[in-house]
Amino acid sequence: MKQALEQIKTAAVEALEKCDNLKALEELKVKYLGKKGELTAILKQMGKLSAEERPVIGQLANEVRSTIEEEVKTRTAALKEKELEEQLAAEKIDVTMPGKKFQVGKKHPLTLVMDEIKEIFLGMGFDVVDGPEVELDYYNFEALNIPKNHPARDTQDTFYINDNVVMRTQTSPVQVRTMEKRKPPIRIISPGRVYRSDALDATHSPVFHQIEGLVVDKGITMSDLKGTLEMFVKSLYGEDSVVRFRPHHFPFTEPSAEMDVMCFNCHGEGCRICKGEGWIEILGAGMVHPKVLQNCGIDPEEYSGFAFGMGLERVVMRRFAIDDIRMFFENDQRFLDQF
Ligand code: PHE
């Protein structure tokens, strides 16, 4: 029995020394010191011993137990320390390492200027409203005084979904939709995409953007139109901008005009940018035709209004000296990064 105890002690100490993790250590503890462990098994046989042998073996057994317990304690402390160190090493953060580069997106130049224009009109008390790009022929043409076979349809040839549905050629149908829904006073702008079946070149695109404007109230006159648009141009291009109005024709305004801005490059002298004109056309406008008001259930005897429509691409090209409209739609990163 003495030998058995010595063997347990040697085996236990050896196993504990080799043990390299806390889980295995726990298992060894159970194996040697547990209720069903090896040491207990020996102690259960103590009854068989003689009266002289019992205290000797008892003392030896106690020694073996405390040696093993001591060893378990030391190993536990050592292993806990080791595991903590490993965890700390694994979780170490090198704060001097370079960070991951974050790609920040930017606004497209069209959006950039569109936002600026919206801001200017919001400041003058206008609402921004939306309209459909796939539009009824009625709203795009008929209600705007452009019946089928009207020559004005020639300049706005578009893509037909069917006889009554077209891709809108202008944002002007939003005038009609707004007047049908709202009662005066009305003060809105409506930016959005429009479509024409034009071939793509440096100054034409089958898809482009317009910003429509509409004001209807009692006593609105041509001077309100001129004042509002002049103020807008000065906010967008600077206080020293000069505008001029030329008579023009649109079926849905009467009288009608086109507004030019004096060329920022040559100040009216004529240069390459304004194609020798000295002026650059930026929008069409006029007093809302009485028939259009009537089409929308607004009494032209009581109310009057003005409307305008400008091409966004032109305004942006002028603003950033971009000489080809195709740049806007090609998504070339080298172009877009410049704004
Ligand atoms: N819709 C016209 C165009 O596309 C512009 C316009 C709008 C003219 C409003 C007058 C009033 O050419």
PDB file of all heavy atoms in Angstrom, residues 135 138-145 170-183 186 188 212 214 252 288 291-298 307:
ATOM      1  N   GLU A 135     -45.264  60.417 -69.245  1.00  0.00           N
ATOM      2  CA  GLU A 135     -46.351  61.385 -69.100  1.00  0.00           C
ATOM      3  C   GLU A 135     -47.433  61.173 -70.155  1.00  0.00           C
ATOM      4  O   GLU A 135     -47.163  60.653 -71.244  1.00  0.00           O
ATOM      5  CB  GLU A 135     -45.731  62.786 -69.227  1.00  0.00           C
ATOM      6  CG  GLU A 135     -46.638  63.964 -69.019  1.00  0.00           C
ATOM      7  CD  GLU A 135     -47.375  63.950 -67.691  1.00  0.00           C
ATOM      8  OE1 GLU A 135     -48.313  63.136 -67.573  1.00  0.00           O
ATOM      9  OE2 GLU A 135     -47.019  64.738 -66.780  1.00  0.00           O
ATOM     10  N   TYR A 138     -51.660  64.283 -73.094  1.00  0.00           N
ATOM     11  CA  TYR A 138     -52.520  65.403 -72.681  1.00  0.00           C
ATOM     12  C   TYR A 138     -51.735  66.440 -71.866  1.00  0.00           C
ATOM     13  O   TYR A 138     -51.793  67.628 -72.157  1.00  0.00           O
ATOM     14  CB  TYR A 138     -53.714  64.891 -71.868  1.00  0.00           C
ATOM     15  CG  TYR A 138     -54.539  66.038 -71.304  1.00  0.00           C
ATOM     16  CD1 TYR A 138     -55.414  66.764 -72.123  1.00  0.00           C
ATOM     17  CD2 TYR A 138     -54.401  66.426 -69.966  1.00  0.00           C
ATOM     18  CE1 TYR A 138     -56.144  67.832 -71.620  1.00  0.00           C
ATOM     19  CE2 TYR A 138     -55.131  67.498 -69.453  1.00  0.00           C
ATOM     20  CZ  TYR A 138     -55.995  68.203 -70.283  1.00  0.00           C
ATOM     21  OH  TYR A 138     -56.704  69.267 -69.785  1.00  0.00           O
ATOM     22  N   TYR A 139     -50.985  65.983 -70.856  1.00  0.00           N
ATOM     23  CA  TYR A 139     -50.265  66.935 -70.000  1.00  0.00           C
ATOM     24  C   TYR A 139     -49.040  67.527 -70.690  1.00  0.00           C
ATOM     25  O   TYR A 139     -48.712  68.691 -70.507  1.00  0.00           O
ATOM     26  CB  TYR A 139     -49.832  66.258 -68.695  1.00  0.00           C
ATOM     27  CG  TYR A 139     -50.966  66.021 -67.740  1.00  0.00           C
ATOM     28  CD1 TYR A 139     -51.433  64.736 -67.484  1.00  0.00           C
ATOM     29  CD2 TYR A 139     -51.593  67.091 -67.102  1.00  0.00           C
ATOM     30  CE1 TYR A 139     -52.475  64.519 -66.605  1.00  0.00           C
ATOM     31  CE2 TYR A 139     -52.640  66.891 -66.226  1.00  0.00           C
ATOM     32  CZ  TYR A 139     -53.084  65.606 -65.974  1.00  0.00           C
ATOM     33  OH  TYR A 139     -54.120  65.412 -65.113  1.00  0.00           O
ATOM     34  N   ASN A 140     -48.354  66.678 -71.467  1.00  0.00           N
ATOM     35  CA  ASN A 140     -47.111  67.156 -72.097  1.00  0.00           C
ATOM     36  C   ASN A 140     -47.396  68.133 -73.244  1.00  0.00           C
ATOM     37  O   ASN A 140     -46.611  69.039 -73.500  1.00  0.00           O
ATOM     38  CB  ASN A 140     -46.284  65.980 -72.618  1.00  0.00           C
ATOM     39  CG  ASN A 140     -44.845  66.371 -72.930  1.00  0.00           C
ATOM     40  OD1 ASN A 140     -44.022  66.497 -72.034  1.00  0.00           O
ATOM     41  ND2 ASN A 140     -44.557  66.602 -74.213  1.00  0.00           N
ATOM     42  N   PHE A 141     -48.527  67.910 -73.939  1.00  0.00           N
ATOM     43  CA  PHE A 141     -48.834  68.744 -75.120  1.00  0.00           C
ATOM     44  C   PHE A 141     -50.209  69.406 -75.085  1.00  0.00           C
ATOM     45  O   PHE A 141     -50.301  70.629 -75.049  1.00  0.00           O
ATOM     46  CB  PHE A 141     -48.727  67.897 -76.398  1.00  0.00           C
ATOM     47  CG  PHE A 141     -47.334  67.390 -76.692  1.00  0.00           C
ATOM     48  CD1 PHE A 141     -47.083  66.019 -76.832  1.00  0.00           C
ATOM     49  CD2 PHE A 141     -46.268  68.275 -76.849  1.00  0.00           C
ATOM     50  CE1 PHE A 141     -45.800  65.548 -77.117  1.00  0.00           C
ATOM     51  CE2 PHE A 141     -44.981  67.807 -77.136  1.00  0.00           C
ATOM     52  CZ  PHE A 141     -44.750  66.444 -77.269  1.00  0.00           C
ATOM     53  N   GLU A 142     -51.261  68.587 -75.099  1.00  0.00           N
ATOM     54  CA  GLU A 142     -52.625  69.112 -75.289  1.00  0.00           C
ATOM     55  C   GLU A 142     -52.986  70.241 -74.327  1.00  0.00           C
ATOM     56  O   GLU A 142     -53.400  71.317 -74.751  1.00  0.00           O
ATOM     57  CB  GLU A 142     -53.669  67.993 -75.116  1.00  0.00           C
ATOM     58  CG  GLU A 142     -53.577  66.867 -76.132  1.00  0.00           C
ATOM     59  CD  GLU A 142     -54.361  67.146 -77.417  1.00  0.00           C
ATOM     60  OE1 GLU A 142     -55.265  68.001 -77.405  1.00  0.00           O
ATOM     61  OE2 GLU A 142     -54.040  66.491 -78.432  1.00  0.00           O
ATOM     62  N   ALA A 143     -52.822  69.960 -73.027  1.00  0.00           N
ATOM     63  CA  ALA A 143     -53.234  70.943 -72.018  1.00  0.00           C
ATOM     64  C   ALA A 143     -52.365  72.198 -72.064  1.00  0.00           C
ATOM     65  O   ALA A 143     -52.721  73.238 -71.523  1.00  0.00           O
ATOM     66  CB  ALA A 143     -53.182  70.334 -70.626  1.00  0.00           C
ATOM     67  N   LEU A 144     -51.206  72.094 -72.735  1.00  0.00           N
ATOM     68  CA  LEU A 144     -50.301  73.232 -72.858  1.00  0.00           C
ATOM     69  C   LEU A 144     -50.517  73.935 -74.197  1.00  0.00           C
ATOM     70  O   LEU A 144     -49.619  74.629 -74.696  1.00  0.00           O
ATOM     71  CB  LEU A 144     -48.847  72.782 -72.724  1.00  0.00           C
ATOM     72  CG  LEU A 144     -48.445  72.309 -71.317  1.00  0.00           C
ATOM     73  CD1 LEU A 144     -47.092  71.621 -71.350  1.00  0.00           C
ATOM     74  CD2 LEU A 144     -48.402  73.492 -70.341  1.00  0.00           C
ATOM     75  N   ASN A 145     -51.698  73.718 -74.769  1.00  0.00           N
ATOM     76  CA  ASN A 145     -52.023  74.430 -75.997  1.00  0.00           C
ATOM     77  C   ASN A 145     -51.237  73.926 -77.206  1.00  0.00           C
ATOM     78  O   ASN A 145     -50.980  74.685 -78.130  1.00  0.00           O
ATOM     79  CB  ASN A 145     -51.732  75.930 -75.813  1.00  0.00           C
ATOM     80  CG  ASN A 145     -52.909  76.796 -76.152  1.00  0.00           C
ATOM     81  OD1 ASN A 145     -53.959  76.274 -76.556  1.00  0.00           O
ATOM     82  ND2 ASN A 145     -52.750  78.102 -76.022  1.00  0.00           N
ATOM     83  N   GLN A 170     -40.532  68.056 -71.663  1.00  0.00           N
ATOM     84  CA  GLN A 170     -40.316  69.285 -70.897  1.00  0.00           C
ATOM     85  C   GLN A 170     -40.918  69.083 -69.510  1.00  0.00           C
ATOM     86  O   GLN A 170     -41.694  68.155 -69.301  1.00  0.00           O
ATOM     87  CB  GLN A 170     -40.978  70.467 -71.604  1.00  0.00           C
ATOM     88  CG  GLN A 170     -42.399  70.157 -72.054  1.00  0.00           C
ATOM     89  CD  GLN A 170     -43.031  71.274 -72.905  1.00  0.00           C
ATOM     90  OE1 GLN A 170     -42.485  72.359 -73.013  1.00  0.00           O
ATOM     91  NE2 GLN A 170     -44.176  71.000 -73.498  1.00  0.00           N
ATOM     92  N   THR A 171     -40.524  69.954 -68.567  1.00  0.00           N
ATOM     93  CA  THR A 171     -41.131  69.840 -67.235  1.00  0.00           C
ATOM     94  C   THR A 171     -42.439  70.630 -67.156  1.00  0.00           C
ATOM     95  O   THR A 171     -43.118  70.597 -66.131  1.00  0.00           O
ATOM     96  CB  THR A 171     -40.142  70.322 -66.140  1.00  0.00           C
ATOM     97  OG1 THR A 171     -39.512  71.520 -66.602  1.00  0.00           O
ATOM     98  CG2 THR A 171     -39.103  69.271 -65.840  1.00  0.00           C
ATOM     99  N   SER A 172     -42.818  71.321 -68.251  1.00  0.00           N
ATOM    100  CA  SER A 172     -44.048  72.130 -68.239  1.00  0.00           C
ATOM    101  C   SER A 172     -45.325  71.370 -67.870  1.00  0.00           C
ATOM    102  O   SER A 172     -46.230  71.969 -67.288  1.00  0.00           O
ATOM    103  CB  SER A 172     -44.209  72.849 -69.574  1.00  0.00           C
ATOM    104  OG  SER A 172     -43.096  73.682 -69.810  1.00  0.00           O
ATOM    105  N   PRO A 173     -45.453  70.053 -68.195  1.00  0.00           N
ATOM    106  CA  PRO A 173     -46.678  69.362 -67.750  1.00  0.00           C
ATOM    107  C   PRO A 173     -46.895  69.450 -66.238  1.00  0.00           C
ATOM    108  O   PRO A 173     -48.042  69.375 -65.789  1.00  0.00           O
ATOM    109  CB  PRO A 173     -46.466  67.912 -68.204  1.00  0.00           C
ATOM    110  CG  PRO A 173     -45.052  67.787 -68.627  1.00  0.00           C
ATOM    111  CD  PRO A 173     -44.649  69.158 -69.067  1.00  0.00           C
ATOM    112  N   VAL A 174     -45.833  69.647 -65.467  1.00  0.00           N
ATOM    113  CA  VAL A 174     -46.003  69.766 -64.009  1.00  0.00           C
ATOM    114  C   VAL A 174     -46.788  71.044 -63.662  1.00  0.00           C
ATOM    115  O   VAL A 174     -47.490  71.098 -62.660  1.00  0.00           O
ATOM    116  CB  VAL A 174     -44.640  69.737 -63.278  1.00  0.00           C
ATOM    117  CG1 VAL A 174     -44.847  69.708 -61.766  1.00  0.00           C
ATOM    118  CG2 VAL A 174     -43.813  68.532 -63.709  1.00  0.00           C
ATOM    119  N   GLN A 175     -46.691  72.069 -64.544  1.00  0.00           N
ATOM    120  CA  GLN A 175     -47.526  73.275 -64.352  1.00  0.00           C
ATOM    121  C   GLN A 175     -48.987  72.873 -64.276  1.00  0.00           C
ATOM    122  O   GLN A 175     -49.715  73.263 -63.367  1.00  0.00           O
ATOM    123  CB  GLN A 175     -47.392  74.212 -65.559  1.00  0.00           C
ATOM    124  CG  GLN A 175     -46.121  75.009 -65.662  1.00  0.00           C
ATOM    125  CD  GLN A 175     -46.219  75.978 -66.853  1.00  0.00           C
ATOM    126  OE1 GLN A 175     -47.270  76.537 -67.137  1.00  0.00           O
ATOM    127  NE2 GLN A 175     -45.107  76.174 -67.547  1.00  0.00           N
ATOM    128  N   VAL A 176     -49.410  72.090 -65.275  1.00  0.00           N
ATOM    129  CA  VAL A 176     -50.822  71.705 -65.376  1.00  0.00           C
ATOM    130  C   VAL A 176     -51.220  70.829 -64.192  1.00  0.00           C
ATOM    131  O   VAL A 176     -52.238  71.064 -63.542  1.00  0.00           O
ATOM    132  CB  VAL A 176     -51.087  70.969 -66.712  1.00  0.00           C
ATOM    133  CG1 VAL A 176     -52.561  70.590 -66.819  1.00  0.00           C
ATOM    134  CG2 VAL A 176     -50.660  71.833 -67.880  1.00  0.00           C
ATOM    135  N   ARG A 177     -50.379  69.817 -63.905  1.00  0.00           N
ATOM    136  CA  ARG A 177     -50.691  68.916 -62.777  1.00  0.00           C
ATOM    137  C   ARG A 177     -50.817  69.701 -61.472  1.00  0.00           C
ATOM    138  O   ARG A 177     -51.652  69.390 -60.635  1.00  0.00           O
ATOM    139  CB  ARG A 177     -49.593  67.854 -62.646  1.00  0.00           C
ATOM    140  CG  ARG A 177     -49.656  66.803 -63.742  1.00  0.00           C
ATOM    141  CD  ARG A 177     -48.593  65.739 -63.551  1.00  0.00           C
ATOM    142  NE  ARG A 177     -48.782  64.649 -64.504  1.00  0.00           N
ATOM    143  CZ  ARG A 177     -49.598  63.620 -64.303  1.00  0.00           C
ATOM    144  NH1 ARG A 177     -50.288  63.533 -63.194  1.00  0.00           N
ATOM    145  NH2 ARG A 177     -49.714  62.673 -65.219  1.00  0.00           N
ATOM    146  N   THR A 178     -49.944  70.709 -61.296  1.00  0.00           N
ATOM    147  CA  THR A 178     -49.989  71.488 -60.057  1.00  0.00           C
ATOM    148  C   THR A 178     -51.254  72.344 -59.986  1.00  0.00           C
ATOM    149  O   THR A 178     -51.920  72.394 -58.951  1.00  0.00           O
ATOM    150  CB  THR A 178     -48.743  72.391 -59.958  1.00  0.00           C
ATOM    151  OG1 THR A 178     -47.586  71.582 -60.095  1.00  0.00           O
ATOM    152  CG2 THR A 178     -48.691  73.120 -58.622  1.00  0.00           C
ATOM    153  N   MET A 179     -51.580  72.992 -61.104  1.00  0.00           N
ATOM    154  CA  MET A 179     -52.762  73.873 -61.095  1.00  0.00           C
ATOM    155  C   MET A 179     -54.056  73.078 -60.944  1.00  0.00           C
ATOM    156  O   MET A 179     -55.035  73.594 -60.421  1.00  0.00           O
ATOM    157  CB  MET A 179     -52.789  74.729 -62.361  1.00  0.00           C
ATOM    158  CG  MET A 179     -51.761  75.853 -62.315  1.00  0.00           C
ATOM    159  SD  MET A 179     -51.950  77.035 -63.657  1.00  0.00           S
ATOM    160  CE  MET A 179     -51.180  76.176 -65.020  1.00  0.00           C
ATOM    161  N   GLU A 180     -54.068  71.826 -61.399  1.00  0.00           N
ATOM    162  CA  GLU A 180     -55.259  70.989 -61.202  1.00  0.00           C
ATOM    163  C   GLU A 180     -55.467  70.664 -59.726  1.00  0.00           C
ATOM    164  O   GLU A 180     -56.580  70.511 -59.261  1.00  0.00           O
ATOM    165  CB  GLU A 180     -55.119  69.668 -61.978  1.00  0.00           C
ATOM    166  CG  GLU A 180     -55.450  69.798 -63.454  1.00  0.00           C
ATOM    167  CD  GLU A 180     -55.326  68.468 -64.182  1.00  0.00           C
ATOM    168  OE1 GLU A 180     -54.868  67.476 -63.588  1.00  0.00           O
ATOM    169  OE2 GLU A 180     -55.696  68.437 -65.362  1.00  0.00           O
ATOM    170  N   LYS A 181     -54.334  70.529 -59.023  1.00  0.00           N
ATOM    171  CA  LYS A 181     -54.410  70.076 -57.621  1.00  0.00           C
ATOM    172  C   LYS A 181     -54.497  71.221 -56.617  1.00  0.00           C
ATOM    173  O   LYS A 181     -55.146  71.096 -55.596  1.00  0.00           O
ATOM    174  CB  LYS A 181     -53.177  69.224 -57.280  1.00  0.00           C
ATOM    175  CG  LYS A 181     -53.352  67.759 -57.673  1.00  0.00           C
ATOM    176  CD  LYS A 181     -52.342  66.880 -57.004  1.00  0.00           C
ATOM    177  CE  LYS A 181     -50.983  67.036 -57.531  1.00  0.00           C
ATOM    178  NZ  LYS A 181     -50.259  66.241 -58.346  1.00  0.00           N
ATOM    179  N   ARG A 182     -53.789  72.320 -56.894  1.00  0.00           N
ATOM    180  CA  ARG A 182     -53.703  73.397 -55.903  1.00  0.00           C
ATOM    181  C   ARG A 182     -54.461  74.632 -56.367  1.00  0.00           C
ATOM    182  O   ARG A 182     -54.525  74.899 -57.563  1.00  0.00           O
ATOM    183  CB  ARG A 182     -52.240  73.814 -55.705  1.00  0.00           C
ATOM    184  CG  ARG A 182     -51.359  72.753 -55.132  1.00  0.00           C
ATOM    185  CD  ARG A 182     -50.076  73.433 -54.686  1.00  0.00           C
ATOM    186  NE  ARG A 182     -49.043  72.458 -54.366  1.00  0.00           N
ATOM    187  CZ  ARG A 182     -47.871  72.782 -53.831  1.00  0.00           C
ATOM    188  NH1 ARG A 182     -47.578  74.048 -53.601  1.00  0.00           N
ATOM    189  NH2 ARG A 182     -46.989  71.846 -53.552  1.00  0.00           N
ATOM    190  N   LYS A 183     -54.929  75.378 -55.428  1.00  0.00           N
ATOM    191  CA  LYS A 183     -55.564  76.664 -55.759  1.00  0.00           C
ATOM    192  C   LYS A 183     -54.528  77.763 -55.528  1.00  0.00           C
ATOM    193  O   LYS A 183     -53.656  77.639 -54.673  1.00  0.00           O
ATOM    194  CB  LYS A 183     -56.780  76.877 -54.856  1.00  0.00           C
ATOM    195  CG  LYS A 183     -57.941  75.921 -55.164  1.00  0.00           C
ATOM    196  CD  LYS A 183     -58.491  76.150 -56.580  1.00  0.00           C
ATOM    197  CE  LYS A 183     -58.699  74.832 -57.323  1.00  0.00           C
ATOM    198  NZ  LYS A 183     -58.300  74.822 -58.729  1.00  0.00           N
ATOM    199  N   ILE A 186     -49.994  80.057 -55.995  1.00  0.00           N
ATOM    200  CA  ILE A 186     -49.097  78.941 -56.281  1.00  0.00           C
ATOM    201  C   ILE A 186     -47.703  79.508 -56.554  1.00  0.00           C
ATOM    202  O   ILE A 186     -47.560  80.498 -57.276  1.00  0.00           O
ATOM    203  CB  ILE A 186     -49.575  78.167 -57.534  1.00  0.00           C
ATOM    204  CG1 ILE A 186     -50.934  77.493 -57.265  1.00  0.00           C
ATOM    205  CG2 ILE A 186     -48.536  77.135 -57.967  1.00  0.00           C
ATOM    206  CD1 ILE A 186     -51.587  76.922 -58.508  1.00  0.00           C
ATOM    207  N   ILE A 188     -44.184  77.398 -57.241  1.00  0.00           N
ATOM    208  CA  ILE A 188     -43.451  76.122 -57.227  1.00  0.00           C
ATOM    209  C   ILE A 188     -42.303  76.116 -58.244  1.00  0.00           C
ATOM    210  O   ILE A 188     -42.326  76.837 -59.241  1.00  0.00           O
ATOM    211  CB  ILE A 188     -44.374  74.919 -57.560  1.00  0.00           C
ATOM    212  CG1 ILE A 188     -45.036  75.064 -58.942  1.00  0.00           C
ATOM    213  CG2 ILE A 188     -45.437  74.725 -56.498  1.00  0.00           C
ATOM    214  CD1 ILE A 188     -44.585  74.105 -59.982  1.00  0.00           C
ATOM    215  N   GLU A 212     -38.593  73.687 -63.988  1.00  0.00           N
ATOM    216  CA  GLU A 212     -39.779  74.467 -64.307  1.00  0.00           C
ATOM    217  C   GLU A 212     -40.092  75.389 -63.142  1.00  0.00           C
ATOM    218  O   GLU A 212     -39.815  75.048 -61.986  1.00  0.00           O
ATOM    219  CB  GLU A 212     -40.950  73.492 -64.521  1.00  0.00           C
ATOM    220  CG  GLU A 212     -42.156  74.093 -65.174  1.00  0.00           C
ATOM    221  CD  GLU A 212     -41.946  74.267 -66.671  1.00  0.00           C
ATOM    222  OE1 GLU A 212     -40.929  73.758 -67.207  1.00  0.00           O
ATOM    223  OE2 GLU A 212     -42.793  74.910 -67.312  1.00  0.00           O
ATOM    224  N   LEU A 214     -43.354  78.077 -61.664  1.00  0.00           N
ATOM    225  CA  LEU A 214     -44.728  78.556 -61.895  1.00  0.00           C
ATOM    226  C   LEU A 214     -45.183  79.398 -60.706  1.00  0.00           C
ATOM    227  O   LEU A 214     -45.034  78.999 -59.559  1.00  0.00           O
ATOM    228  CB  LEU A 214     -45.679  77.366 -62.071  1.00  0.00           C
ATOM    229  CG  LEU A 214     -47.175  77.709 -62.166  1.00  0.00           C
ATOM    230  CD1 LEU A 214     -47.496  78.402 -63.492  1.00  0.00           C
ATOM    231  CD2 LEU A 214     -48.032  76.447 -62.013  1.00  0.00           C
ATOM    232  N   PHE A 252     -47.865  77.954 -74.751  1.00  0.00           N
ATOM    233  CA  PHE A 252     -48.552  77.968 -73.453  1.00  0.00           C
ATOM    234  C   PHE A 252     -48.269  79.218 -72.623  1.00  0.00           C
ATOM    235  O   PHE A 252     -48.652  79.296 -71.462  1.00  0.00           O
ATOM    236  CB  PHE A 252     -48.210  76.702 -72.652  1.00  0.00           C
ATOM    237  CG  PHE A 252     -46.757  76.298 -72.759  1.00  0.00           C
ATOM    238  CD1 PHE A 252     -45.843  76.730 -71.815  1.00  0.00           C
ATOM    239  CD2 PHE A 252     -46.321  75.506 -73.810  1.00  0.00           C
ATOM    240  CE1 PHE A 252     -44.505  76.361 -71.921  1.00  0.00           C
ATOM    241  CE2 PHE A 252     -44.979  75.143 -73.923  1.00  0.00           C
ATOM    242  CZ  PHE A 252     -44.074  75.577 -72.980  1.00  0.00           C
ATOM    243  N   VAL A 288     -48.483  82.894 -68.146  1.00  0.00           N
ATOM    244  CA  VAL A 288     -49.268  81.681 -68.408  1.00  0.00           C
ATOM    245  C   VAL A 288     -50.466  82.038 -69.302  1.00  0.00           C
ATOM    246  O   VAL A 288     -51.228  82.968 -69.018  1.00  0.00           O
ATOM    247  CB  VAL A 288     -49.763  81.036 -67.098  1.00  0.00           C
ATOM    248  CG1 VAL A 288     -50.548  79.762 -67.394  1.00  0.00           C
ATOM    249  CG2 VAL A 288     -48.585  80.729 -66.180  1.00  0.00           C
ATOM    250  N   LYS A 291     -55.723  80.283 -71.804  1.00  0.00           N
ATOM    251  CA  LYS A 291     -56.329  78.984 -72.129  1.00  0.00           C
ATOM    252  C   LYS A 291     -55.788  77.862 -71.242  1.00  0.00           C
ATOM    253  O   LYS A 291     -56.499  76.926 -70.893  1.00  0.00           O
ATOM    254  CB  LYS A 291     -56.043  78.625 -73.595  1.00  0.00           C
ATOM    255  CG  LYS A 291     -57.224  78.958 -74.495  1.00  0.00           C
ATOM    256  CD  LYS A 291     -56.918  78.654 -75.930  1.00  0.00           C
ATOM    257  CE  LYS A 291     -57.522  77.353 -76.400  1.00  0.00           C
ATOM    258  NZ  LYS A 291     -57.328  77.202 -77.877  1.00  0.00           N
ATOM    259  N   VAL A 292     -54.487  77.963 -70.867  1.00  0.00           N
ATOM    260  CA  VAL A 292     -53.894  76.950 -69.979  1.00  0.00           C
ATOM    261  C   VAL A 292     -54.510  77.060 -68.586  1.00  0.00           C
ATOM    262  O   VAL A 292     -54.856  76.051 -67.963  1.00  0.00           O
ATOM    263  CB  VAL A 292     -52.349  77.096 -69.923  1.00  0.00           C
ATOM    264  CG1 VAL A 292     -51.739  76.117 -68.928  1.00  0.00           C
ATOM    265  CG2 VAL A 292     -51.741  76.891 -71.314  1.00  0.00           C
ATOM    266  N   LEU A 293     -54.678  78.293 -68.114  1.00  0.00           N
ATOM    267  CA  LEU A 293     -55.334  78.492 -66.810  1.00  0.00           C
ATOM    268  C   LEU A 293     -56.732  77.879 -66.848  1.00  0.00           C
ATOM    269  O   LEU A 293     -57.128  77.136 -65.941  1.00  0.00           O
ATOM    270  CB  LEU A 293     -55.428  79.988 -66.481  1.00  0.00           C
ATOM    271  CG  LEU A 293     -54.114  80.723 -66.146  1.00  0.00           C
ATOM    272  CD1 LEU A 293     -54.357  82.222 -66.008  1.00  0.00           C
ATOM    273  CD2 LEU A 293     -53.477  80.177 -64.871  1.00  0.00           C
ATOM    274  N   GLN A 294     -57.455  78.147 -67.917  1.00  0.00           N
ATOM    275  CA  GLN A 294     -58.814  77.621 -68.079  1.00  0.00           C
ATOM    276  C   GLN A 294     -58.813  76.087 -68.084  1.00  0.00           C
ATOM    277  O   GLN A 294     -59.640  75.464 -67.422  1.00  0.00           O
ATOM    278  CB  GLN A 294     -59.410  78.111 -69.401  1.00  0.00           C
ATOM    279  CG  GLN A 294     -60.598  79.014 -69.213  1.00  0.00           C
ATOM    280  CD  GLN A 294     -60.839  79.912 -70.433  1.00  0.00           C
ATOM    281  OE1 GLN A 294     -60.242  79.722 -71.504  1.00  0.00           O
ATOM    282  NE2 GLN A 294     -61.715  80.900 -70.270  1.00  0.00           N
ATOM    283  N   ASN A 295     -57.858  75.501 -68.829  1.00  0.00           N
ATOM    284  CA  ASN A 295     -57.742  74.030 -68.877  1.00  0.00           C
ATOM    285  C   ASN A 295     -57.607  73.440 -67.474  1.00  0.00           C
ATOM    286  O   ASN A 295     -57.925  72.277 -67.256  1.00  0.00           O
ATOM    287  CB  ASN A 295     -56.512  73.604 -69.689  1.00  0.00           C
ATOM    288  CG  ASN A 295     -56.705  73.811 -71.181  1.00  0.00           C
ATOM    289  OD1 ASN A 295     -57.842  73.986 -71.635  1.00  0.00           O
ATOM    290  ND2 ASN A 295     -55.610  73.800 -71.929  1.00  0.00           N
ATOM    291  N   CYS A 296     -57.086  74.231 -66.535  1.00  0.00           N
ATOM    292  CA  CYS A 296     -56.849  73.726 -65.178  1.00  0.00           C
ATOM    293  C   CYS A 296     -57.911  74.213 -64.201  1.00  0.00           C
ATOM    294  O   CYS A 296     -57.743  74.074 -62.985  1.00  0.00           O
ATOM    295  CB  CYS A 296     -55.478  74.176 -64.689  1.00  0.00           C
ATOM    296  SG  CYS A 296     -54.148  73.701 -65.781  1.00  0.00           S
ATOM    297  N   GLY A 297     -58.955  74.821 -64.711  1.00  0.00           N
ATOM    298  CA  GLY A 297     -60.044  75.267 -63.842  1.00  0.00           C
ATOM    299  C   GLY A 297     -59.723  76.516 -63.041  1.00  0.00           C
ATOM    300  O   GLY A 297     -60.264  76.735 -61.963  1.00  0.00           O
ATOM    301  N   ILE A 298     -58.789  77.348 -63.561  1.00  0.00           N
ATOM    302  CA  ILE A 298     -58.482  78.619 -62.886  1.00  0.00           C
ATOM    303  C   ILE A 298     -58.994  79.761 -63.766  1.00  0.00           C
ATOM    304  O   ILE A 298     -58.713  79.793 -64.970  1.00  0.00           O
ATOM    305  CB  ILE A 298     -56.962  78.746 -62.629  1.00  0.00           C
ATOM    306  CG1 ILE A 298     -56.525  77.695 -61.586  1.00  0.00           C
ATOM    307  CG2 ILE A 298     -56.603  80.153 -62.130  1.00  0.00           C
ATOM    308  CD1 ILE A 298     -55.037  77.647 -61.330  1.00  0.00           C
ATOM    309  N   ALA A 307     -44.520  81.662 -65.892  1.00  0.00           N
ATOM    310  CA  ALA A 307     -43.847  80.367 -65.844  1.00  0.00           C
ATOM    311  C   ALA A 307     -42.505  80.497 -66.537  1.00  0.00           C
ATOM    312  O   ALA A 307     -42.294  81.393 -67.356  1.00  0.00           O
ATOM    313  CB  ALA A 307     -44.698  79.306 -66.539  1.00  0.00           C
TER     314      ALA A 307
END
